[in-house]
Amino acid sequence: MKILELQQQTQERYAAERGMQNPAMIETRGEFVDYVREMREFLNMELDEILAAVDFSGACRKPWKERHASHRRAEFIHEDFDSTLKEEAVDALCFMMNICLACGVTHENIEKLYGEVYAKNMGRLDNDY
């Protein structure tokens, strides 16, 4: 499945039916900056929802809470959060894909671009970067 292509189709419909910005149709630097900032905000919201699903009381993140140490040591059992975490992670991915689309990443070029970044990162690991 070409998920970036599907995401682009989704954004085209949102643009046509709800008047939202289509990342493929951004014309000015200002529109680009505004769009990426908005997508970053939505991405951060989704990431917060992932954390809240696992740490709903905030005890893992707040060292002043009485249960901080015990919550941090509590076993993470993926199955307890499985569907929620996956759904929120994919929601976050959608906003990251919108940023990619605004940057000109497409389903045709993402593998090549990722391959270049992957090779660079492997080179850094191989050279103790």
Side-chain angles (χ1 to χ4, degrees), residues 45-56 76-92:
M45 287 179 192
E46 296 300 335
L47 296 174
D48 286 341
E49 289 176 17
I50 291 170
L51 293 175
V54 175
D55 184 29
F56 58 90
F76 174 71
I77 302 170
H78 196 276
E79 292 78 21
D80 290 349
F81 309 101
D82 197 46
S83 63
T84 301
L85 291 181
K86 287 178 181 176
E87 182 179 328
E88 298 301 346
V90 173
D91 285 345

Side-chain angles (χ1 to χ4, degrees), residues 18-85:
R18 301 208 178 159
M20 296 172 67
Q21 179 73 54
N22 180 344
M25 304 300 287
I26 292 173
E27 296 178 355
T28 68
R29 288 181 185 196
E31 287 176 349
F32 176 84
V33 168
D34 292 346
Y35 186 80
V36 171
R37 289 176 74 187
E38 184 175 50
M39 291 304 110
R40 178 184 64 188
E41 182 177 334
F42 296 146
L43 172 60
N44 285 335
M45 287 179 192
E46 296 300 335
L47 296 174
D48 286 341
E49 289 176 17
I50 291 170
L51 293 175
V54 175
D55 184 29
F56 58 90
S57 70
C60 287
R61 294 171 281 164
K62 297 175 180 176
W64 58 89
K65 285 207 165 208
E66 183 177 318
R67 297 169 300 173
H68 175 71
S70 64
H71 276 249
R72 293 206 46 91
R73 287 191 308 271
E75 183 179 4
F76 174 71
I77 302 170
H78 196 276
E79 292 78 21
D80 290 349
F81 309 101
D82 197 46
S83 63
T84 301
L85 291 181

Side-chain angles (χ1 to χ4, degrees), residues 4 39 43 90-102:
L4 267 177
M39 291 304 110
L43 172 60
V90 173
D91 285 345
L93 177 62
C94 289
F95 293 112
M96 191 63 229
M97 284 191 292
N98 287 345
I99 293 170
C100 288
L101 290 166

Side-chain angles (χ1 to χ4, degrees), residues 8-23 25:
Q8 179 58 48
Q9 291 172 7
T10 301
Q11 295 312 300
E12 288 169 2
R13 281 197 60 194
Y14 274 120
E17 297 174 18
R18 301 208 178 159
M20 296 172 67
Q21 179 73 54
N22 180 344
M25 304 300 287

